[in-house]
Structures are given as C-alpha cells and as structure tokens.
Amino acid sequence: MTPFALPDAAVAEIDRVIARYPEKQAAMLPVLWVVQRERGWICPDAMVWVGDRLGCSASAVQAVVRFYTMFDEEPVGRWKLQVCRTLSCELMGARAVIDRIRERLGVEAGETTADGEFTLQEVECLGSCGTGPMMQCNLKFYENLTPDRVEALLSELRRGRPDFHDVQPVIYERPDMETYRAMFPRSGARRDGVSAERGA
Amino acid sequence: MACRRREGPEVAAPKILMQRALDRPGESHVLEAYEAAGGYRAARKALDMSPEALIEEVKKSGLRGRGGAGFPTGTKWSFTPRDSQKPRYLLCNSDESEPGTFKDRWLLENDPHAVLEGMMIAAIAIDSHLMFNYFRGEFSYPLSRWRAAVDEAYRKGYLGRGIFGTDYDLEVVTHCGAGAYIAGEETGMLESLEGKKAQPRNKPPFPAVEGLFRSPTLINNTETLATVPWIIEHGADAYMQYGTEKSRGTKLWSCSGPIANPGVYELEMGHDLMEFLEGDLGGMLEGVGLKGIIPGGSSVPVLTAEECRGAKMDYEGLRERGSLVGSGGFIVIGDNASAVDCLLNLAHFYTHESCGQCTPCREGCGWIEQLVRKILAGRGTQGDLETILRVSDLMAGKTICALADAMAWPAVAFIKKYPEEFAALCADPVDMDALAAAVGKVDHILPKAS
Ligand SMILES: Cc1cc2nc3c(=O)[nH]c(=O)nc-3n(C[C@H](O)[C@H](O)[C@H](O)COP(=O)(O)O)c2cc1C
Ligand code: SF4
Ligand code: FES
C-alpha cells in the first residue's frame, strides 16, 4: 500500500496555512479542508498524515472529522445535494423538495446513488432562510426551489455544466401561489405516523 | 411576485448598515465603492485616538452585541486587560447558523469592508495585532467576497506591516468552520479555532481574560463590528439619535416565512412589529393567515398573532412580550403550519447540534424530540406534554452554554401558546386546566420584562 500523499502544491499550501497560526493544531480545520478538496473525503491514512503534520494523534484528528458535519469520512457522490430541512425552509415546502429528490434518485437522506453521481443529505439551516426551500450542491446554493425545479436541476447536473462548480448562488424567482400551495406543509390532520416517524 | 435578489438592498429608508449597498447595488463590496462612501476614514481616525477614547465612544453609543446575547459592546471591550504580557486577539464571529438568520451573510457579501474596518477598530481599541474571522464553512460565496476584500486591503497597505502609514502592524486570518452550530457559541469557537471539537468551555475564565491560546480575546458578532465604523466616523451622539432610550441605533432583521417580501431589512430599534409585517414585508402570502412570529432566531420564544400586535422591535419591547431580539431572525409562521410540527423541527435541530457535554442538554433535547414525535404520531398523552415541560425546566440555566435554554424556551413557549394543537393530537383527551397549571410551574424559565 502506498502511503498517503498529496500533490506538492497542496503540501506547500498546507505549510503556508500552518505558519499563519500561533499554534500548529489550530490549523486543523483549514488543513482538513485542503485534504477533502484534494481527495473528496478524509480517509484514515489522511488522518494519520494530518496528525503528523500538526503534532497530534490520529485519533484527535478523527474526533474532529467526526464532530463537524461537513467533513466526509466516506466517499460521496460527484454531486453532494444538501437540502435544508430547518424551520423557515420547512414552512415554505422543503419536505416536498426533499421528497421529489428521494423519488427521482431512489435514495434516502444520507445515501449515494449506485452510479456514484449523487449523495442526498438533509442539513440544518444554511443561512438562506428568506429564499427557502434551498439546497447547497457542492459549493453552490440554489434558492427558491420547487419540486419541479429541483427535478430539472438533477438532469442538468447529470450532464454536468461547468458553471455548477462556481460559488455564485442561483436564486430562482419565487414560485406562484398555486405552486406554493401544492408544496406547503399541511397542518391539523392527525398523522398516520409515517411521516412523523421518518428519520427517527 | 417580485424576486428579491440578495445583491440589491431590501430597505426603503437610508440607514447605517445598508446605505452603501442601497447606493451602489452589486458593487458595494468593492474597495473603491466603500472608500467613495467614506470607508476607512474611521479606521484612520481610530489610529489617532487613544484606546480609552475609542472604547468610551462605543460605550456611549449604547451599541449592544448583535450575535444574540445583546451584551453592551463598549463594556465588553473594556474587559480586555491591557497590562497583560500575552498577545491579545480579536475574533469576529461570522459563523452565523442560528435558524432563521442570514444577515451576517448579507453583510459579508455586500459590505465586507465594513466588517473588516470594524474589526480593525476593535483590534486597535484592545491593542491587538492579530485578528481572526471565523467564517461559517458553508458560506463559499460570501467567502469569495471577503477574501477579495482582504486582498484589496493588504494591497493598499491597510493591513500588514504599518497600516495606513503608521507603525501599527495588523494581520488577519480567515478561518473556515466545517459545520457545527455550537462553534458559534463563543467558547466553542475558541476550541474550534484551536483545532478541537467545538465544545464550549466553562466560564470563568471569560474569553476576555483567557481566550484563544490562553490569551485575552475579544469576540464580537459580524453585524456588531460592521456597525462600529459608522459610530467612530459620525460619533456616538449621532448613533444615539436612532432607536430608543435603551435600545440605540439600528438592527438588521432576517425575515423569512410565508410573507410577500422576505429578505434582510434594517430597522431603527423600536419599530412597530405589525407595521413592519404589513408594510415592508408586504404582509402574508395570499390565503395564509398569521399564526405567530419567532422574532429573534429559532432559540427565542414564539409570539402569537395576538402578542405581535403593538409589539416593539427592540430589546425591551420584545422582552416585555416574553421574547427576545436574539440574532434578529424574524420567522413568520402561517396558519397553514402546525405548532407541533414547528417544535419537532426545532427539537430535531437542537438534538443534532448539542455537543453532548452536559447531560441535561444531550439527553433533554433528544427526549423532547422523541416525545414530540410520539405526539405527532397520535400516540401522545397528557403525561408526555408534562414531561416535555419538566425536562425543559431541568435544562434551562443548568448547563455550560445556552444551547439547552435555546431548546427549552421554544418547547415551553409552543406548548404554552398553542396548547389546543398539542392536545388535539394526543391519544386521550387532555385536561387543559391541568396542562395550564403544568405550564405555570415552568413559566419562570421564559424571558420576562426586567
Ligand atoms: C448555541 C449558541 C450559538 C451561537 N451562535 C452564534 C453565531 O452563530 N453567531 C454569533 O455571532 N453569535 C453566536 N452566539 C453568541 C456568541 O456566544 C457570542 O455571544 C457573540 O458572538 C458575541 O458577540 P456580540 O457581543 O457582538 O453579540 C451563539 C451562542 C450560543 C449559546
Ligand atoms: S449546553 Fe449543550 S451544547 Fe452547550 S455545552 Fe452543554 S451539551 Fe454542549
Ligand atoms: S432554514 Fe433553511 S436556510 Fe435557514
């Protein structure tokens, strides 16, 4: 097995980052960010490597990787769809958007499609509550989503246009009332327990 | 229905924090635009002032922390010991993750230089030469704007060795988080910045005395710091013209929910809540009625439609109604949504985000979530509702940080204010008088007029 290694440029970047902090271990998050950017996820060998660099144990690195939700300890799909499930988005119909993605991709939250194209995750408030429902796809935000819009987006993502890699958010027009009414949560009715139990 | 682009300002009246974006939408983040509007005059002025005078000016302005706790900013600055042999650090809290809040993101995208200049002034006031901006990990687009602003400032000699031609050295490090709400709590942030899990520290010692790398550290929210240049440039007296006697100045409100014009707004403190809802926000979406409003981010108690009437949007006004300004995350809840669903949504959030150090928080959040789930599934009982209330009482004020309170308040407030909705979902009839009595026993944990 070849030992873990990063391209020279990434190693140089890591050394520059470490030099900016009064103590080495403080560079933990930025160094892990470089590793994840280069490798797509953070494998056990990478944790040993980072620990060596920062003068701490691999288990200290692993504890950090596990604590922060943005670090992946397993490979993820080419497109990581992180849909906000928190209150403002739920009030505007996030559930309908998530359900459409689940149906179309045939995966549950936390899973990756068999072809390795998509990972679906439900995440907490992403700071775009005024334009919810919204999701983050890799580094890019998509705001004012509807089930139809997200479905169209999935096909476009499969085709993989280059502008899906920049960070400028895509903010759709707010949908009309009819669309909203179809996606708004319904209240009052006693649940059969299925939707309330999901994710328990 | 109009689409509100984040590029454009969403306010009608000229104000302190949004004026530049209002004047030059789409380019207010660039140094040239910032300086044309008077930017970096305040930092130059600060370098000519004594630290004592700077702190005094901020104290006098009445500015209070916009990160959630509302602590007087100048007073906090004065706590940083100046006689210490250790270096002092300035830390800007740009980890904005309180559900319903997106104003710091707006500032970082549209006015990053104001944040940077505010950080500089705060650093000068405590004689710090190394500043950190802890950035929320998910904020890639604001980060691109922020990094560009920092590069511009370095190129101009506003950062680095001998800033503005003086002998004052000042460096800034941008530190990206990686997804943890609790890293927004100030001592959790210190741990996170030191490369560890973001588990909050016991206080004392307070960060002002023993913070980052065991050195004195001043931590302020992004919006708090972005307000500082205006105060230093125009003076505390000018700032005090805005707002009320006890809540000075203006505040950003992040508005979401089924309203016609969601977005970020800057209001003078003391604004009438219903006037705001029906005016700037354009009222509720067609066919949706008002159920309630969470005025200050998901952690503060919800106000019923009735309680919203006549409420004033400032520290005292919202407290008088039993809620708080918090982070200014103004979440409007329509009558199409269920209060029980809302509480489940938030309980899931806090369960996920609890760092797990304190038993009442770790167990309590999860317990509340499971009980609300049970009620939603139609299997709940009166006993379950009373357990939620009792558990909340065991959490509030009994843990290392305020996350436990942030779960307990919404739990008690939703049950107190919408008891029929909870009762209607329970398996057996609920004795409403007994439930009200149980609420009465824990009501003391909710914020009250002081
Ligand atoms: C659970 C929790 C989360 C917090 N999250 C944030 C946050 O995202 N941003 C923030 O500025 N303050 C947050 N705070 C408040 C900070 O602890 C701190 O009070 C604030 O950054 C101080 O700045 P200020 O005095 O300028 O408001 C949080 C507090 C708690 C208890
Ligand atoms: S109250 Fe909760 S989040 Fe805060 S330190 Fe304790 S366990 Fe962690
Ligand atoms: S609640 Fe979804 S972005 Fe804030």
Side-chain angles (χ1 to χ4, degrees), chain B residues 181-182 185 200 203 299 350 361 396-397 399-409:
Chain B
Y181 171 66
I182 197 60
E185 196 278 341
K203 297 184 244 186
S299 302
Y350 290 108
C361 173
T399 52
I400 294 177
C401 89
L403 187 138
D405 305 65
M407 173 76 266
W409 286 342

Side-chain angles (χ1 to χ4, degrees), chain B residues 63-73 76-77 91-98 101 103-104 136 180-189 200 203 218-225 299 315 326-327 349-350 353 401-404 406:
Chain B
L63 177 63
R64 292 166 66 167
R66 307 298 194 219
F71 193 83
T73 305
K76 189 190 265 188
W77 291 17
L91 173 51
C92 175
N93 188 341
S94 296
D95 192 44
E96 183 170 67
S97 12
E98 169 85 354
T101 315
K103 43 99 184 171
D104 294 339
R136 179 158 186 194
Y181 171 66
I182 197 60
E185 196 278 341
E186 54 187 14
T187 58
M189 178 163 290
K203 297 184 244 186
L218 171 61
I219 307 170
N220 274 129
N221 167 257
T222 313
E223 181 187 351
T224 313
L225 290 167
S299 302
Y315 293 104
S327 62
F349 172 81
Y350 290 108
E353 301 299 336
C401 89
L403 187 138

Side-chain angles (χ1 to χ4, degrees), chain B residues 192-220:
Chain B
S192 181
L193 235 168
E194 291 182 3
K196 296 174 255 173
K197 296 191 276 185
Q199 292 187 315
R201 299 176 182 171
N202 265 306
K203 297 184 244 186
F206 288 93
V209 179
E210 205 176 304
L212 206 48
F213 314 118
R214 297 161 304 284
S215 287
T217 306
L218 171 61
I219 307 170
N220 274 129

Side-chain angles (χ1 to χ4, degrees), chain B residues 126-294:
Chain B
I126 61 162
D127 192 28
S128 163
H129 300 274
L130 182 54
M131 321 189 281
F132 294 89
N133 194 0
Y134 191 108
F135 232 85
R136 179 158 186 194
E138 290 90 340
F139 282 179
S140 300
Y141 184 57
L143 179 68
S144 67
R145 290 264 172 104
W146 166 259
R147 283 207 197 278
V150 167
D151 287 348
E152 283 181 310
Y154 267 108
R155 275 201 301 276
K156 281 278 226 165
Y158 298 174
L159 284 171
R161 297 194 75 83
I163 62 170
F164 298 101
T166 65
D167 58 3
Y168 198 97
D169 299 342
L170 189 57
E171 302 285 340
V172 64
V173 172
T174 306
H175 189 91
C176 290
Y181 171 66
I182 197 60
E185 196 278 341
E186 54 187 14
T187 58
M189 178 163 290
L190 297 174
E191 289 289 302
S192 181
L193 235 168
E194 291 182 3
K196 296 174 255 173
K197 296 191 276 185
Q199 292 187 315
R201 299 176 182 171
N202 265 306
K203 297 184 244 186
F206 288 93
V209 179
E210 205 176 304
L212 206 48
F213 314 118
R214 297 161 304 284
S215 287
T217 306
L218 171 61
I219 307 170
N220 274 129
N221 167 257
T222 313
E223 181 187 351
T224 313
L225 290 167
T227 310
V228 166
W230 197 95
I231 293 173
I232 297 306
E233 190 189 349
H234 301 273
D237 288 327
Y239 190 72
M240 290 161 71
Q241 304 285 305
Y242 291 100
T244 69
E245 173 94 31
K246 287 194 176 147
S247 300
R248 300 291 187 184
T250 66
K251 162 100 192 80
L252 297 182
W253 298 87
S254 317
C255 305
S256 63
I259 45 179
N261 309 318
V264 180
Y265 292 81
E266 180 172 14
L267 298 181
E268 227 181 302
M269 288 287 189
H271 200 88
D272 184 87
L273 191 152
M274 287 308 282
E275 230 169 72
F276 177 50
L277 178 64
E278 275 147 24
D280 290 328
L281 297 185
M284 303 296 290
L285 285 180
E286 181 205 322
V288 184
L290 176 65
K291 171 175 298 225
I293 296 176
I294 301 177

Side-chain angles (χ1 to χ4, degrees), chain B residues 74-114:
Chain B
T75 308
K76 189 190 265 188
W77 291 17
S78 70
F79 290 159
T80 318
R82 304 188 44 80
D83 48 5
S84 157
Q85 291 306 301
K86 295 177 181 168
R88 282 164 295 276
Y89 298 116
L90 175 85
L91 173 51
C92 175
N93 188 341
S94 296
D95 192 44
E96 183 170 67
S97 12
E98 169 85 354
T101 315
F102 44 103
K103 43 99 184 171
D104 294 339
R105 177 182 168 208
W106 187 94
L107 280 170
L108 293 161
E109 282 178 15
N110 294 285
D111 215 354
H113 282 288

Side-chain angles (χ1 to χ4, degrees), chain A residues 20-23 25-30 33 60 63-64 67-71 82 85-88 90-92 122 124-131 134 136 138-141 143-144 167-177 180-181 184-193 195-200, chain B residues 1 3 5-6 89 99-102 105 130 132 134 136-141 144 154 171-173 175-180 182 192-198 213-214 255-260 262 285-286 288 294 331-333 336-338 341-342 345-346 348-349 352-353 373 376-379 424-426:
Chain A
R20 303 215 72 183
Y21 291 86
E23 291 179 7
Q25 195 181 332
M28 178 80 79
L29 298 188
W33 271 125
V64 169
F67 188 84
Y68 296 89
T69 54
M70 294 183 80
F71 292 137
Q82 300 186 297
R85 60 152 295 279
T86 317
L87 188 57
S88 303
E90 177 175 294
L91 291 172
M92 300 307 284
E122 285 183 24
E124 303 297 343
C125 179
L126 288 168
S128 297
C129 328
T131 42
M134 60 80 60
Q136 177 172 17
N138 296 1
L139 297 180
K140 202 176 173 83
F141 282 17
E143 308 176 28
N144 283 328
V167 296
Q168 170 105 37
V170 173
I171 310 170
Y172 296 96
E173 291 277 325
R174 280 190 109 197
D176 58 27
M177 262 331 283
Y180 267 140
R181 262 191 287 272
F184 271 169
R186 264 167 274 281
S187 82
R190 163 119 36 140
R191 303 306 176 85
D192 56 8
S195 71
E197 292 298 311
R198 193 175 46 227
Chain B
M1 202 174 310
C3 163
R5 301 277 323 173
R6 206 177 310 94
Y89 298 116
T101 315
F102 44 103
R105 177 182 168 208
L130 182 54
F132 294 89
Y134 191 108
R136 179 158 186 194
E138 290 90 340
F139 282 179
S140 300
Y141 184 57
S144 67
Y154 267 108
E171 302 285 340
V172 64
V173 172
H175 189 91
C176 290
I182 197 60
S192 181
L193 235 168
E194 291 182 3
K196 296 174 255 173
K197 296 191 276 185
F213 314 118
R214 297 161 304 284
C255 305
S256 63
I259 45 179
L285 285 180
E286 181 205 322
V288 184
I294 301 177
I331 309 171
V332 179
I333 302 171
N336 60 326
S338 141
D341 272 322
C342 291
N345 188 291
L346 296 182
H348 183 88
F349 172 81
H352 183 258
E353 301 299 336
R373 236 179 243 291
L376 267 171
R379 299 197 312 269
L425 288 169
C426 283

Side-chain angles (χ1 to χ4, degrees), chain B residues 115 137 257:
Chain B
V115 179

